[in-house]
Amino acid sequence: MPELPEVETVVRSLAPLVGRRIVNAEFRAARILRGADPERMAARLAGRRIDSIRRYGKFILISLRGGGYLLLHLGMTGRLLLGAAPAKHTHAIFTLDRGVLQFDDSRQFGAIEVHEDFPARVARLGPEPLEISAEDFARALRLRRTCVKALLLDQTFVRGVGNIYADEALFRAGIHPLARTGRLRQDRALRLHLMLAEVLTEAIAAGGSSISDYVDADGRQGLFQVSHRVYQRSGEPCVNCGTAIRRLLVGQRSSHFCPRCQKR
DNA sequence: ATCGGTACCTGCACGC
DNA sequence: TGCGTGCAGGTACCGA
């Protein structure tokens, strides 16, 4: 579900929690905790105050006063909800000194971790696509020898891009998902950077894409799904040329593209 | 160091 | 109505 624009929207909707204190934490699914002991993790969080809530790619990093971090990842179906009723797939409930935050995740691909130091898995992420310069992006891209769709999904290359926005950016840039990165001309690599930034910025402004179950912490859906030009539009006409949008697999992931507008 | 494939989970849409 | 199949925004891990 959540890629950079969705996670950004969630983080913005969590802004009221900054400065709040975690009175109690309760965990119901050990899988989400990645093997950590639920009781011990709850004990480490109880009484801690939230200093900041920031996004790194698709990760949500909550800094705790006095040191340490609560790290959240929504996986495919994760939701963070404020003041909602616990449900079948509610795996964590954080009771705050004002309000209640819960973590729901039907597929349980999400994660909740507590770290003493800045988490290594966040530190090894690539740059934010909205922060890296076009020149640096193009240079790094052309140094690699893989297909461009797979590289956009590689979180150590740029962080936060997932299947929706990779397909949408490649369409806007006129680049075929199987194009080899090492052979992309400089101007096309620069254009990909520009289109990636454009689509991410538009999606953030629209509150993300709600395909099936994504909502922000206040339960609001995103609007950007109506602006998708290729993602999950197989068989429908290309908005530019009318050719039927096609689907193919790149590294086991569906890729949607216009066979006429997007060149290798 | 980088790949392709697989695994992890539940829910839904679809065809029969 | 029910059953099997394929598919879904994610990352991690395996061996080649």
Side-chain angles (χ1 to χ4, degrees):
Chain A
M1 140 206 319
E3 303 182 30
L4 188 156
E6 291 76 35
V7 180
E8 177 65 25
T9 303
V10 169
V11 165
R12 290 181 184 185
S13 64
L14 292 177
L17 301 191
V18 175
R20 301 270 58 81
R21 196 166 55 86
I22 300 170
V23 174
N24 181 59
E26 181 189 340
F27 302 105
R28 297 179 179 176
R31 149 161 272 279
I32 299 281
L33 306 185
R34 306 288 170 102
D37 177 60
E39 307 264 318
R40 192 180 304 171
M41 186 175 285
R44 290 173 77 183
L45 293 171
R48 310 296 301 280
R49 200 171 285 278
I50 294 171
D51 264 348
S52 68
I53 303 176
R54 280 179 297 174
R55 180 188 60 74
Y56 290 82
K58 302 170 194 169
F59 287 88
I60 298 170
L61 190 66
I62 299 178
S63 303
L64 303 172
R65 185 160 308 172
Y69 301 89
L70 174 60
L71 181 64
L72 307 173
H73 196 291
L74 300 177
M76 292 271 255
T77 49
R79 289 174 159 191
L80 282 169
L81 299 168
L82 287 168
K88 182 178 177 186
H89 297 295
T90 300
H91 303 307
I93 298 175
F94 303 93
T95 304
L96 310 171
D97 53 358
R98 193 162 69 230
V100 176
L101 177 68
Q102 74 185 46
F103 186 106
D104 291 16
D105 186 1
S106 64
R107 289 177 74 180
Q108 302 178 47
F109 289 171
I112 301 175
E113 303 169 12
V114 176
H115 297 263
E116 290 306 315
D117 303 311
F118 192 87
R121 56 191 310 208
V122 176
R124 67 165 176 264
L125 295 172
E128 285 285 331
L130 292 174
E131 291 174 2
I132 187 174
S133 73
E135 291 71 23
D136 287 348
F137 176 89
R139 187 180 307 117
L141 186 119
R142 277 144 49 88
L143 283 172
R144 301 289 288 265
R145 295 286 180 276
T146 181
C147 67
V148 65
K149 170 70 186 281
L151 189 58
L152 288 175
L153 296 179
D154 180 349
Q155 302 297 298
T156 66
F157 179 69
V158 284
R159 62 187 192 227
V161 180
N163 215 28
I164 297 175
Y165 300 104
D167 282 2
E168 294 297 318
L170 287 170
F171 174 77
R172 293 186 185 208
I175 298 172
H176 194 287
L178 290 176
R180 306 303 292 191
T181 54
R183 308 180 63 173
L184 267 190
R185 284 208 325 268
Q186 176 79 358
D187 60 327
R188 301 186 75 208
L190 292 171
R191 177 162 178 78
L192 178 56
H193 173 270
L194 183 66
M195 292 299 105
L196 183 57
E198 180 184 89
V199 74
L200 292 172
T201 302
E202 288 179 17
I204 291 170
S209 302
S210 289
I211 298 297
S212 68
D213 55 11
Y214 162 74
V215 290
D216 71 11
D218 300 312
R220 284 188 294 256
Q221 294 198 332
L223 300 171
F224 196 69
Q225 63 279 5
V226 302
S227 301
H228 293 174
R229 300 181 191 173
V230 287
Y231 183 76
Q232 287 189 348
R233 293 192 64 244
S234 307
E236 295 178 41
C238 169
V239 295
N240 285 347
C241 73
T243 303
I245 298 302
R246 293 241 291 267
R247 171 182 174 274
L248 63 77
L249 286 180
V250 181
Q252 310 302 111
R253 307 296 302 279
S254 283
S255 294
H256 313 80
F257 68 104
C258 172
R260 183 164 172 196
C261 295
Q262 295 176 248
K263 310 289 187 207
R264 295 212 194 191

